[in-house]
Amino acid sequence: MRHAVPVDPDTDVQAAETVRQLRALATPEGAAALTRAGALLDAGADPVAGLTRLRAEVGADLAGPAWGIARQRQKARPAFGPDADRMLFTSDALEQAGRPELAARRAGRLLAGGADSVADLGCAAGTDTIALARAGARVLAVDLDPVARELTAANVEALGLADDVWVVAGDAVELVAAARGGEVAGCSAAVLDPARRAGGRRQLDPDRWSPPWSTVAALLEKVPTSVVKVAPGLDHDRVPAGIEAEWVSAGGSIVEALLWGPAVSATWRRATLVRDGAVHELTADADPGHAPVGPVRGWLHEPDPALIRSGLMSMVAADLGATLVDDTIAYLTSGTAAESPWVSSYRVDEVLPFNLKKLRALLRTRGVGRVVVKKRGSPIEPEALARQLRTDAGGTATVVVTRVAGAPTVLVCDVSG
Ligand SMILES: C[S@@+](CC[C@H](N)C(=O)[O-])C[C@H]1O[C@@H](n2cnc3c(N)ncnc32)[C@H](O)[C@@H]1O
């Protein structure tokens, strides 16, 4: 289904102009311009020469928008794969888009209990809407922004999902306030992914997200089959009772945090690690508390960020027989290397109080000329310190600058060569 709400050019002239351009790109001439722009970009055309050539070939009206979308498609390819070349994104929508493989995972879990209609409250370019429709749901895709609605409508059409998707204008704040009987906007499930940026800057305060925290809390209370994407830095104290909070990392970086409505929640906290197509999960039904602190031993373990954020580090520490190097620092230490997806292990070769002169002298003695610097709980700038420590010597090492039992300390690890 196509979206039903016309754009009011008086309320947002720029949005109306973007919508006009997106519609022009949906015509056969527009589609041809887009294909040509993509071909020029893929051939490595420089922006000025490429755009000049495109203008000459397809006209000024289509060339600019086609070039802009083709550039976003290029950026989207690593995450969206072949879909990227059929979808439309503005830079803003692409910046806000989640990873499709994680959206698919979320959709699968949300629908596992049998819900068949889902409200995507703030659809942007439609990443979640697409994942939900592909997982078999009928989706009501809602956004305040006419450009977002246009993108989602075009994208579900391009991917053959339009029969299962309704794109509508609406305010998630009002829809959630009106939710009754476990449903929102007539749907038995909901996805909410609030905008957490304003004016190009990250909004750290959940009360300033759009929709704000009050809508997040109300949705989780009123619509049991729901999931909300939140900032990975969300304070644990904010998580309502009975709600599972999940932190997800991919490739060693934290990529999302989720709050699951009570009908989907299965535990208290969950850490999920996605690496090379494999998914590792760790759960706890209650707070496992802090790991104990102990002296630095032969191995240092750097925990995965989802493990740290989820508050489950003490479970892995217990498994590994490891202790924290300091009660405020997320480094673990034990007497053996760890075979665990949740940590990266480094052999500790030297431990010394933080002192640049002594560190240089030590590296010289050990024949180390190149180091990778890691830090936690220290104001140093890793790249700058690595440059300062560089010499002609052939050996390498990992230098970890941190606090051990409160004292600024350097651990020289994995010395080789
Ligand atoms: C972070 S984006 C969603 C991204 C999307 N889930 C994805 O992965 O592509 C948030 C969206 O919510 C929309 N939005 C913000 N406040 C809203 C509100 N009160 N009602 C409806 N939509 C809203 C924004 O226009 C934006 O498109």
Side-chain angles (χ1 to χ4, degrees), residues 318-393:
D319 257 14
L320 301 178
T323 45
L324 288 167
V325 298
D326 183 287
D327 63 1
T328 62
I329 301 287
Y331 279 134
L332 294 168
T333 182
S334 73
T336 50
E339 288 292 321
S340 164
W342 295 105
V343 297
S344 306
S345 295
Y346 302 87
R347 188 191 65 241
V348 179
D349 292 317
E350 306 276 356
V351 181
L352 64 158
F354 183 75
N355 176 313
L356 196 53
K357 245 168 108 179
K358 286 191 177 142
L359 177 59
R360 274 212 183 96
L362 176 85
L363 294 175
R364 197 167 46 242
T365 317
R366 305 270 323 223
V368 172
R370 270 166 201 265
V371 299
V372 170
V373 176
K374 292 182 164 288
K375 69 143 187 177
R376 223 160 242 180
S378 161
I380 62 121
E381 214 271 286
E383 282 77 31
L385 181 60
R387 271 197 305 277
Q388 279 180 292
L389 295 174
R390 198 160 165 170
T391 66
D392 291 338

Side-chain angles (χ1 to χ4, degrees), residues 93 96-98 106 120-128 142-145 148 170-173 193-196 210-211 229:
Q96 300 200 70
R106 269 199 314 276
D120 181 5
L121 302 170
C123 56
T127 321
D128 282 292
V142 179
D143 211 294
L144 276 178
D145 175 8
D171 185 341
V173 175
D193 180 7
R196 298 184 296 278
S210 181
K229 244 171 101 177

